Amino acid sequence: STAQVGSGPGAGEKQVGTTSNLTVRQNVGMTTLTSWTGVRAVVTGGASGIGLGLATALLEGGATGVVLADIEPGPLDDAVAALRAEFDAADVIGICTDVSDSASVEAMAAQAWDHFGGIEVLCANAGVFTGGYSWEVTDDDWDWVLGVNVMGVATDSAGNVLRGPDATKGGV
């Protein structure tokens, strides 16, 4: 499944969920998942921004359970509380996760599976950047950016988030 962010469906796409500032679209014919109804999902970087928008769109679309995975515990707790208040019938949990660390992703996946019994959708959304001139960016900055933006997606995908007997139904 391919999720895109934009103002509305384009050619060959259908709208599957919206919030006041976010629309989630799927490419028609590229996925067998046609509804968010009843799905259980993990959204990395879910405590704010696009990740929180994705979680909201999933819940608006009928998802029954959402894991917000984020490295910032304070905003994570706030986002979980806000979603629980808005979507009282949904099950929303927050798991503090460092997506650049495969052990952290494995622990998150195990906790998500223990809680929900399965995960059908993974939104590998966590991402970071550093500003400034390229010659001023330190090796530590590059390690952080590549660790989250590149290795984070790899550890999310390889980290058994979608493992289990029904894992073939899900998508990243």
Side-chain angles (χ1 to χ4, degrees), residues 20-73:
S20 60
N21 62 356
L22 174 76
T23 299
V24 177
R25 299 174 288 176
Q26 289 178 303
N27 289 335
V28 176
M30 303 236 359
T31 180
T32 57
L33 184 61
T34 58
S35 170
W36 302 125
T37 302
V39 301
R40 298 150 304 176
V42 169
V43 180
T44 66
S48 63
I50 293 171
L52 185 55
L54 288 168
T56 302
L58 286 162
L59 291 165
E60 286 176 344
T64 56
V66 174
V67 174
L68 298 183
D70 203 283
I71 198 167
E72 297 290 337

